Amino acid sequence: MRYTHMLLPTTKEVPSDAEITSHRLMLRAGMIRKLAGGIYSWLPLGYRVIKKIEAIIREEMDRAGAQEIFMPAVQPAELWKESGRWEQYGKELLRFRDRHNREYCIGPTHEEVVTDIMRNEIQTYRQLPKNLYQIQTKFRDEVRPRFGVMRSREFSMKDAYSFDADNEGAEKSYAAMFEAYERIFRRCGFTFRAVEADTGSIGGSFSHEFLVNADSGEDAMVYCAACSYAANLEKAEIAEPEEEQRDDDALLPLEEVHTPGVRTIEEVSGFLDVKPRDIVKTLIYSADGKTVAVLVRGDEEINEIKVKNFLGADVLEMAMDDEIRSVTGAPRGFVGPLGIKCPLISDYSLKNMVNFVIGANREDYHAKNCNLGRDFSVDTFADLRIAREGDCCPRCGGDLQFARGIEVGHVFKLGTKYTKAMNATFLDRDGKEKFMVMGCYGIGVSRIAAAAIEQSHDENGIIWSMSLAPFQVIVTPVNMGDKDISEKAEEIYRELESAGLEVLFDDRDERAGVKFKDADLLGIPLRVTVGAKQLAEGRVEVKSRKTGDVAIVALEEAAAFIMKVVEKEMPAAMEPPR
Ligand code: ATP
Ligand code: MG
C-alpha cells in the first residue's frame, strides 16, 4: 500500500477529550474518528487491525468446533419479553418502534435470537451439542461511554453460544471455549489473566473474565502470589481467619456512651479516640423484602454481591429508615447488634475482635467494650467483605495481590436460564423432553485494538505485535527527490509485497524526520530505511519498532531477512488443540 493512496490522517495534536493513551494514539494515528458520543468510524489503518483480530478469532473458534453464523442487529421486543429482559435490561437497551408501531431493540447481545433459532431447529439429543458464533456490531447505550472504542456505545463483539444436552456436556463446551480464548489472547500478544467472575443467581464458578493487564484498566483483579487463584474484585474470596484463643479476663464491662450527632465510622473513631478497626459497622439490608443485619469490622467494606449470594437473594437493597427503626429502635448511624429484631450475619473480620464499639440502638449513643458471645451472638459467620491487598488466599493462604486490567473476554455457563424462559427443549435419549443447557462467550473485538495499544506503546506511539499490526513493514525512502533512493525503495516495496508481506510504502514527499515520527506513531513492527549512505554500499537499514535494534542488511538479502523476523514474531498459528 502506498502511503499517498491511503486515507491516513496522522496528527500531532492530542485531542482534549481523550483521557487514556490508547484513545489518544488511535486518534493521532488516524485509526478512528468520532461520529457521535461513543460512536466511531474505523479508518483504513484501524480497520486493518480489526480484520487481523477477527481472523485470529475466527481461526480459533473454528478450530474449537464452533460455527459462524450472522444474526440480525435489530431484534423484536417479543423475544426479549419472553426472556424477561425487556423489563430487566434498563436504559442500556436501545429501543425503538417501526412504522407499524411495533417495538424493537438493537441487540446489545444475542441470547434471545440464538435461543429462538435453536428451539426451532433442534428436536433431539442427536443434534447436540452445537456452538454458534458471530462477529457483529452491538449497541449498548452506556451511561458513560469513554476511552474511545474501549467503552463505546456501538462496538464489534464476537459472541458465541453453546447448546448441550446436559450439564456435563455444557462444562466441556465451556472448557473448549476457555482454551480457545487463551489461544486467541496469546496470539494477540497480550499479557493477560483469566479471573473467576460472579455468576449471580446461576451459581458455581463457571464464569471467567479475561483481563489484559493495564494500569488504566477499569477492572480490578485479585490474584494469589503463591498459587494460581485469580478473581475479579467483586468475586474475590478471602480465607476464613483462624480463631485465636480469647482471654476472657481481658474483656471489659459493656458501657454506653453519649455520642450526640456522631454517626459515621470516622466520626465515632475521632470522638471516642478509637481506631476504625476497633469499631463494628452494622448495616441493615432488605433482601427480597426481608430485613437482615450484616456486621463487618469498621475499617472493612461490605461486598454486597457476596451478601446477596450468601442469602440467595434476587434483590438486595439498603433498608429504608422506617425499616431500620423497626428492627433496631434507633435511627441510621446508631444501630448495632444488641437486641436487634432481625437475622444477624457477620463477616469473618469480627471473629477475633474484643472490646469493640457498636451503635447502641439508641439515638445519640454508642456502646464500648462490646464482646461476641457475652453481649450478643450472630446467626452465621461468612466471607462478606471486599478483598484487600495482603488478605489471605482462599485456596492456599498465600498473599492476595491486586492489579488493574481491561476485560477483553468473558465466558459464562448460563445453564437453562434462557432455554427455560423461552421453552427451548429437545427429546433426550430416554424419550424425555429436556431444556438445552447453554453457555455464552463474548470477546470485545474493537476493545482488543485499544487494549493492545494500552499494553504496548511508548512516548513516540503505538508498538504493534506482529500478529495485530496493520502492516508488518514500512519502507521509508529518506528522500523521494533522489531518484536512486526512490527507485530502490520502490523495488524493495514490490519485492516485499510479492513475498506476501503487508507493506506500507511511505512514498510521501516529506522530510525524513517527519516520516520517522509517523512510522513510530503508527507502530509498524519493522521499518526499512532507504538512505544515501547505506545505499552507496548496496545496503539498507532494518529497524525494530519494539527494541529499536537496527540491522544493516544487503539489498538482495533484505526480503529474506524481513521474512524471517516476521515469521519468528508471529505467535505460531499454532499447535493443534490438546
Ligand atoms: P463491562 O463490564 O466492561 O461493561 P460486560 O460484562 O458488559 O463488560 P459482556 O456483556 O460480557 O461485557 O460483553 C463481552 C465483551 O464485550 C466484554 O468482555 C468486552 O470486551 C466487550 N464490551 C462490553 N461492553 C463494551 C463496550 N461498551 N465497548 C466496547 N466493548 C465492550
Ligand atoms: Mg457492560
Side-chain angles (χ1 to χ4, degrees), residues 142-191:
E142 300 273 356
V143 206
R144 270 189 77 201
R146 57 194 178 137
F147 305 153
V149 298
M150 189 82 90
R151 180 167 299 283
S152 49
R153 296 197 296 162
E154 185 172 309
F155 60 97
S156 167
M157 193 203 285
K158 187 286 300 175
D159 44 331
Y161 306 89
S162 64
F163 292 82
D164 278 271
D166 53 27
N167 250 315
E168 204 188 344
E171 279 162 28
K172 267 197 203 137
S173 297
Y174 184 92
M177 283 296 103
F178 188 99
E179 216 174 279
Y181 274 37
E182 285 189 313
R183 296 163 69 94
I184 290 167
F185 298 129
R186 243 188 290 142
R187 284 182 63 181
C188 289
F190 283 138
T191 305

Side-chain angles (χ1 to χ4, degrees), residues 265 276-281 295-301 347 349-350 353 385 388:
I265 294 292
R277 57 176 298 126
D278 292 320
I279 304 171
V280 163
K281 255 193 279 200
L295 305 180
V296 68
R297 207 172 71 192
D299 60 337
E300 301 288 2
E301 294 299 330
D347 177 63
S349 54
L350 256 72
M353 288 178 76
R385 69 178 172 88
R388 290 210 290 191

Side-chain angles (χ1 to χ4, degrees), residues 72-141:
V74 172
Q75 308 180 10
E78 285 73 46
L79 278 183
W80 285 70
K81 287 180 180 162
E82 263 190 73
S83 72
R85 289 209 291 184
W86 190 254
E87 284 74 34
Q88 281 163 19
Y89 214 92
K91 290 193 170 168
E92 265 189 39
L93 187 65
L94 184 66
R95 303 158 208 246
F96 63 96
R97 285 171 190 272
D98 69 4
R99 64 168 78 200
H100 306 294
N101 208 29
R102 285 191 281 254
E103 289 178 300
Y104 291 88
C105 64
I106 303 191
T109 170
H110 279 70
E111 282 82 3
E112 283 80 0
V113 179
V114 77
T115 305
D116 181 58
I117 293 174
M118 291 299 279
R119 71 177 167 187
N120 292 331
E121 306 309 328
I122 299 294
Q123 282 85 41
T124 93
Y125 70 95
R126 284 189 212 92
Q127 295 166 284
L128 295 173
K130 291 276 177 291
N131 187 331
L132 303 173
Y133 78 95
Q134 65 172 348
I135 295 179
Q136 214 232 20
T137 300
K138 301 282 190 260
F139 196 95
R140 295 182 181 179
D141 206 353

Side-chain angles (χ1 to χ4, degrees), residues 174-223:
Y174 184 92
M177 283 296 103
F178 188 99
E179 216 174 279
Y181 274 37
E182 285 189 313
R183 296 163 69 94
I184 290 167
F185 298 129
R186 243 188 290 142
R187 284 182 63 181
C188 289
F190 283 138
T191 305
F192 66 96
R193 214 183 270 273
V195 305
E196 289 179 15
D198 182 50
T199 50
S201 54
I202 290 159
S205 65
F206 282 101
S207 175
H208 288 86
E209 289 169 359
F210 287 79
L211 302 184
V212 164
N213 296 59
D215 291 337
S216 61
E218 290 183 287
D219 294 279
M221 56 175 135
V222 179
Y223 62 96

Side-chain angles (χ1 to χ4, degrees), residues 363-437:
E363 182 152 14
D364 288 341
Y365 282 87
H366 279 78
K368 283 201 326 198
N369 303 326
C370 184
N371 284 290
L372 266 162
R374 186 192 69 183
D375 304 320
F376 72 97
S377 50
V378 299
D379 295 316
T380 352
F381 283 100
D383 169 19
L384 300 174
R385 69 178 172 88
I386 297 174
R388 290 210 290 191
E389 199 138 25
D391 278 337
C392 283
C393 169
R395 302 280 183 275
C396 77
D399 268 4
L400 289 182
Q401 313 213 317
F402 277 42
R404 297 213 64 83
I406 299 164
E407 182 192 320
V408 287
H410 192 176
V411 291
F412 203 110
K413 184 169 162 249
L414 284 168
T416 52
K417 179 177 158 145
Y418 292 92
T419 51
K420 261 190 188 144
M422 296 179 62
N423 199 32
T425 60
F426 67 98
L427 271 190
D428 205 357
R429 212 178 279 277
D430 54 12
K432 290 209 177 93
E433 198 169 13
K434 290 182 184 156
F435 295 110
M436 290 182 255
V437 187

Side-chain angles (χ1 to χ4, degrees), residues 380-496:
T380 352
F381 283 100
D383 169 19
L384 300 174
R385 69 178 172 88
I386 297 174
R388 290 210 290 191
E389 199 138 25
D391 278 337
C392 283
C393 169
R395 302 280 183 275
C396 77
D399 268 4
L400 289 182
Q401 313 213 317
F402 277 42
R404 297 213 64 83
I406 299 164
E407 182 192 320
V408 287
H410 192 176
V411 291
F412 203 110
K413 184 169 162 249
L414 284 168
T416 52
K417 179 177 158 145
Y418 292 92
T419 51
K420 261 190 188 144
M422 296 179 62
N423 199 32
T425 60
F426 67 98
L427 271 190
D428 205 357
R429 212 178 279 277
D430 54 12
K432 290 209 177 93
E433 198 169 13
K434 290 182 184 156
F435 295 110
M436 290 182 255
V437 187
M438 263 179 94
C440 69
Y441 317 92
I443 292 185
V445 176
S446 25
R447 188 180 283 182
I448 284 181
I453 298 174
E454 214 49 57
Q455 202 168 61
S456 181
H457 65 264
D458 63 14
E459 64 283 5
N460 300 318
I462 304 168
I463 305 174
W464 289 113
S465 64
M466 199 58 88
S467 56
L468 298 189
F471 294 97
Q472 294 155 334
V473 195
I474 182 166
V475 176
T476 309
V478 298
N479 179 2
M480 283 302 281
D482 180 324
K483 208 160 158 257
D484 205 24
I485 290 179
S486 60
E487 278 178 13
K488 267 286 167 313
E490 173 100 29
E491 240 172 71
I492 293 172
Y493 160 58
R494 286 175 188 277
E495 194 184 351
L496 293 175

